[in-house]
Amino acid sequence: MLLYKNSSIVSHQFCNTLRKMENLCLVFLLIVSIVFPVLGQGGLKTGFYSSSCPNAESIVKSTVQAEFDKDPTIAAGLLRLHFHDCFVRGCDGSVLISGSSAERNAVTNTGLRGFEVIDDAKSKLEASCLGVVSCADILALAARDAVDLVGGPSWGVPTGRRDGRNSSSSEAMNLPSPFDTVEVQRSKFAAKGLDDHDLVTLVGAHTIGQTDCRFVSYRLYNFTKTGNADPSIDQQFLTQLKTMCPKDGDGSKKVDLDKDSQLNFDVSFFKNIRNGNGILESDQRLFGDSSTKDVVDKYAGSIRGLLGLRFNYNFKQAMIKMSSIEVKTGTDGEIRKVCSRFNHYY
């Protein structure tokens, strides 16, 4: 009995020590992020437009805010738009080009939204600073502002990207898919210089947003063509999902990717995965791989942030890393006059 009591005291003291360590780490990280501006990769830097277009970031922010006030779900749309841009040809605004054979019309980009927000911001920026701010940078800034508006972290966005001169729907066919295994996801992220930690952290963007029943129904009624449900789905949640997505029902009906807080940027998404309440198969599979499961557990656990593993902090670091993929800077690419068209059309 005495041994048990002493063990409880030691455990309590140990937990208190961990919490103090976590708080000290977070304070240190906050100080570092304030004192030392975040530098991006590939020639990007924070405050790139401080002289050439001082109001650039505030113009983008106010544009996103105005749309968010009308439709809060646009936050997830803008975040997804930036993600899909960066995974094809790098973060160069290629997803914004219109046209039947352009990237945005690929099957994998079905449902992308937020184009009008980017166009609106670009129009205002052109009126203020003609030919200065790239569409690729507007996308990166809008994604940051969208996350901030739903209660997520904010960060200094390294800017200086230039817009690409190519956009092909065929090149978008290898985007990460809701049907991907962990191995396939890992391969696609690794090809962009992103590791398992980045993978889980960036997929955490699914704490906001929705998907269609068509991407869920097969898990409910005919998983692996067995006529049964995906066994990884919690049984109680399975009943709820079947109510939301009836068999042979409307495949375009929307389902929240985070069943508990679809409009709040938080860690409930990871708790859902841990508890078998993931919506997409690709998300739920992250809990079945030892490497990705470890990251999910630490984000979902009660002592988050141990050894620096804290979702909000890690998410902004992962976003900075992702938004630096294969960027065009200097004299490479162009600064588009209109985000949906290449300059040679003028």
Side-chain angles (χ1 to χ4, degrees):
M1 180 67 182
L2 181 60
L3 178 61
Y4 174 79
K5 182 177 180 181
N6 288 340
S7 297
S8 297
I9 293 172
V10 171
S11 297
H12 180 70
Q13 291 174 338
F14 178 68
C15 288
N16 282 338
T17 301
L18 288 180
R19 292 189 184 96
K20 289 177 182 178
M21 287 172 59
E22 177 184 4
N23 290 335
L24 285 172
C25 285
L26 291 173
V27 169
F28 173 74
L29 292 171
L30 179 61
I31 291 173
V32 169
S33 65
I34 292 173
V35 176
F36 300 100
V38 178
L39 296 178
Q41 302 172 27
L44 305 179
K45 67 176 183 179
T46 54
F48 181 83
Y49 298 109
S50 58
S51 297
S52 58
C53 191
N55 296 324
E57 295 198 21
S58 62
I59 289 173
V60 174
K61 184 175 183 178
S62 63
T63 305
V64 173
Q65 176 77 65
E67 186 62 29
F68 179 83
D69 289 343
K70 294 184 290 183
D71 176 16
T73 66
I74 196 62
L78 291 169
L79 185 53
R80 183 174 180 238
L81 195 59
H82 180 45
F83 179 92
H84 279 232
D85 180 47
C86 290
F87 264 70
V88 181
R89 286 189 167 271
C91 311
D92 67 347
S94 56
V95 75
L96 302 173
I97 295 296
S98 61
S100 58
S101 62
E103 190 178 310
R104 70 194 279 180
N105 285 317
V107 174
T108 49
N109 281 327
T110 300
L112 282 184
R113 53 196 294 256
F115 296 101
E116 71 287 349
V117 182
I118 305 303
D119 289 341
D120 187 20
K122 177 62 172 176
S123 177
K124 293 173 182 175
L125 285 165
E126 287 298 287
S128 179
C129 316
L130 185 64
V132 174
V133 183
S134 70
C135 299
D137 274 346
I138 296 172
L139 263 178
L141 292 167
R144 184 270 311 273
D145 296 335
V147 172
D148 184 42
L149 285 170
V150 289
S154 184
W155 60 92
V157 177
T159 44
R161 298 166 191 78
R162 288 171 64 85
D163 300 318
R165 294 192 174 103
N166 294 282
S167 181
S168 171
S169 58
S170 63
E171 294 184 0
M173 298 310 294
N174 199 41
L175 279 163
S177 159
F179 312 115
D180 287 344
T181 64
V182 174
E183 276 305 316
V184 172
Q185 292 182 72
R186 177 178 287 126
S187 175
K188 289 180 178 180
F189 275 71
K192 301 301 179 182
L194 302 169
D195 57 26
D196 281 6
H197 189 275
D198 299 318
L199 163 60
V200 178
T201 304
L202 291 169
V203 168
H206 289 170
T207 183
I208 57 174
Q210 300 175 311
T211 191
D212 293 351
C213 278
R214 65 169 61 95
F215 298 118
V216 182
S217 293
Y218 75 97
R219 297 186 67 206
L220 313 181
Y221 304 105
N222 194 26
F223 187 64
T224 62
K225 298 182 180 180
T226 60
N228 300 314
D230 183 342
S232 69
I233 304 175
D234 174 77
Q235 286 302 303
Q236 184 176 351
F237 187 50
L238 175 62
T239 301
Q240 296 176 30
L241 280 176
K242 286 184 173 180
T243 300
M244 290 186 280
C245 298
K247 191 174 184 179
D248 301 321
D250 181 3
S252 64
K253 184 180 178 182
K254 300 298 182 185
V255 183
D256 294 345
L257 289 171
D258 181 345
K259 71 182 184 66
D260 298 314
S261 54
Q262 183 252 331
L263 291 176
N264 294 320
F265 198 93
D266 54 31
V267 296
S268 66
F269 169 76
F270 298 105
K271 295 179 185 293
N272 287 335
I273 293 177
R274 181 189 61 190
N275 298 331
N277 295 332
I279 300 295
L280 299 177
E281 181 183 358
S282 58
D283 291 350
Q284 189 60 55
R285 293 296 166 263
L286 295 176
F287 203 66
D289 178 274
S290 59
S291 177
T292 54
K293 178 182 182 294
D294 181 59
V295 185
V296 172
D297 267 332
K298 288 175 180 176
Y299 284 149
S302 58
I303 307 180
R304 297 189 308 276
L306 185 61
L307 302 180
L309 197 59
R310 183 71 176 264
F311 179 49
N312 273 10
Y313 176 77
N314 291 151
F315 185 79
K316 62 184 181 181
Q317 296 303 108
M319 284 295 291
I320 291 170
K321 187 175 179 181
M322 184 199 76
S323 66
S324 301
I325 294 173
E326 301 167 28
V327 293
K328 295 170 177 61
T329 58
T331 58
D332 194 12
E334 63 186 18
I335 304 297
R336 286 186 213 139
K337 298 175 182 178
V338 175
C339 289
S340 60
R341 298 179 184 177
F342 300 120
N343 284 348
H344 63 251
Y345 283 108
Y346 291 87

